[in-house]
Structure formats: C-alpha cells, structure tokens
Amino acid sequence: CSLQAGLAVLLKAERLFHSSYHSQAVHIRPVCRESHWFAQLPFGGFTDASCLAVSWELRQTLTVVFDFFSSGQGKKDWSLFKMFSRTLTEMCPLASQSKVYVDISPKNKEKELLEVSPPPTSVHEAIVQGEKKTYAVYDLLSPSLFNTSRSLNVQLKWKRPQDSSEMPIPTLYAQRYVGGYGLQTGEICTLIYNTHPYRAFPVILLETVPWYLRLYVHTLTIITKGKENKPS
C-alpha cells in the first residue's frame, strides 16, 4: 500500500524528522518452519540439527517520540493530526492486522483524567514491567471504524488541568553526557535509572556513535551500586 492506505499514511517525513527522537530498524532472524524438535535461543533464533525447513522473518520498526508537553505550553493533549498533519483514511487491504494502541492508564488511583475520542473498538489490559496498563485499541480492520467518518483522528484530552506540570517518572529512564576532551581523556557516561521499588530488569543498551568518534571497547566499565558489573 506504500503511503496510500493504512498506518503508513502517517509517515510524513518532515514531521518525523523534526521530532525529538526517531529510530528505524530492520530485524532479520531465521525461524525453523518444520522440524522434529528445536531449542529456542534467548534472542529469538534457534538451534536445531534436525531442522528440515528454514524461513526468514523480516520485521521493520519505526520509533518516534513527539514532545508536545514542552512545546505546547505544558499542555498534554494530542491527536494524530497534531503529530503527523494527517489522519487515517482507510486500512491497507493487504494487512492481516492493523491496530492503534493508546495508553489510557490512570497516573494515580483517583478518577480517570484521560478522555480519548472517538470511542475505541476495544480496551486491552496488560502487565508491563510489573504495572497494570490499560490501552484503547482502534482496529483499522473493523468495518464499523470508518462507517461514521472517512477519517480517523485519534485524540486524547485531559478532563481537567493538572495541578502541577511535572511529568510522571518512568520505571526505566536514562541520561547520557560527554566528559573530558579529545581521545586522551574524553569519555561518554550513560546513567540508567530503575525507579521500581523492588524489581530488577535486564537492559539492552544500544549506543549510536558518530563516525568521527573512536571508541575503545576495552575501556568499557559498568558500575552498579558502587560495584563493577560485568555485562553479558
């Protein structure tokens, strides 16, 4: 469908590349299609001497972060049109699944402050990093979704203004800064914080390094609570 239908309609380059963060990735992995037995590997591959047929799975991902809170005078309201300057008009006929998930989890135990429109086709609940999350789901393959309008513009509004402008602290977040100067004393420091009261999480760190910066892997040190932590 290219950019003519489905979720890809939203991929307007001038909006994506002016966001706070964007990342594109291609994941390719072998999948055993036919075998008597196989052992699953931690990262999704397999090891199987008796695998009779192998398929290759291709997965493309696009991650984009918009920061409307700081650019919109502290307003947390957003919509698809505000982010992408476009709305969803129809589903891609070739897609077997096409959904939009909106996190509507309450930030506190009081009444719901979030209002999402139009009404979602369903609501999905899941446990993410030990916390209960609630998602409004818009199924583009649902015939009723485009019946009332030829355009889907998902909007999220706050029912009343927030008492403070502080954003909730996520369970996992990171900071990075550069110290020293030159190749002799220059260094990159990445601080990863876990705010969960008791649970530990495995972390996969992907660093994007400019071509002009030379890193010496043997100088890598990882310190956790004052003690050196060897990476796996």
Side-chain angles (χ1 to χ4, degrees):
C1 290
S2 186
L3 301 178
Q4 306 304 317
L7 295 175
V9 170
L10 302 177
L11 303 184
K12 193 175 182 181
E14 59 200 58
R15 301 292 295 184
L16 299 180
F17 296 147
H18 283 83
S19 60
S20 299
Y21 172 84
H22 71 275
S23 172
Q24 303 176 62
V26 177
H27 306 267
I28 303 175
R29 67 167 185 166
V31 178
C32 188
R33 187 172 70 247
E34 183 181 352
S35 67
H36 300 295
W37 63 270
F38 70 94
Q40 194 75 23
L41 294 180
F43 296 101
F46 67 91
T47 172
D48 182 10
S50 63
C51 186
L52 304 178
V54 177
S55 295
W56 290 92
E57 179 187 83
L58 169 66
R59 184 164 58 95
Q60 296 174 281
T61 63
L62 172 65
T63 304
V64 185
V65 176
F66 292 94
D67 187 5
F68 286 117
F69 183 75
S70 59
S71 62
Q73 293 81 42
K75 295 182 179 179
K76 300 180 183 181
D77 301 346
W78 59 264
S79 67
L80 290 182
F81 185 80
K82 185 177 180 181
M83 285 190 291
F84 302 101
S85 297
R86 294 179 179 179
T87 58
L88 295 172
T89 55
E90 59 181 331
M91 60 93 172
C92 177
L94 299 178
S96 59
Q97 185 178 147
S98 187
K99 296 180 180 180
V100 176
Y101 291 84
V102 181
D103 188 353
I104 57 174
S105 307
K107 302 305 178 185
N108 50 39
K109 297 183 180 180
E110 299 178 358
K111 295 182 180 180
E112 288 276 1
L113 298 176
L114 304 177
E115 181 179 357
V116 62
S117 62
T121 53
S122 63
V123 176
H124 176 71
E125 292 186 348
I127 303 297
V128 180
Q129 294 181 351
E131 295 183 6
K132 184 179 180 181
K133 293 288 186 177
T134 304
Y135 298 95
V137 183
Y138 295 87
D139 188 355
L140 270 63
L141 272 62
S142 176
S144 61
L145 193 60
F146 293 105
N147 279 351
T148 56
S149 173
R150 289 292 299 171
S151 174
L152 175 63
N153 182 28
V154 179
Q155 303 180 62
L156 188 140
K157 295 182 179 180
W158 290 80
K159 295 181 180 180
R160 66 172 184 264
Q162 294 296 285
D163 298 332
S164 65
S165 59
E166 294 182 0
M167 296 292 286
I169 299 177
T171 304
L172 293 175
Y173 69 96
Q175 297 177 352
R176 184 172 69 165
Y177 62 88
V178 177
Y181 58 89
L183 292 176
Q184 186 70 21
T185 61
E187 61 182 15
I188 295 178
C189 297
T190 301
L191 305 179
I192 302 176
Y193 297 90
N194 176 14
T195 62
H196 198 279
Y198 58 86
R199 185 177 175 184
F201 298 97
V203 174
I204 298 178
L205 179 63
L206 173 65
E207 288 277 6
T208 303
V209 182
W211 62 269
Y212 53 81
L213 186 62
R214 181 176 297 176
L215 292 184
Y216 299 99
V217 182
H218 72 281
T219 65
L220 173 67
T221 56
I222 299 178
I223 306 298
T224 304
K225 294 182 178 180
K227 297 181 180 180
E228 187 170 357
N229 183 7
K230 294 292 185 180
S232 58

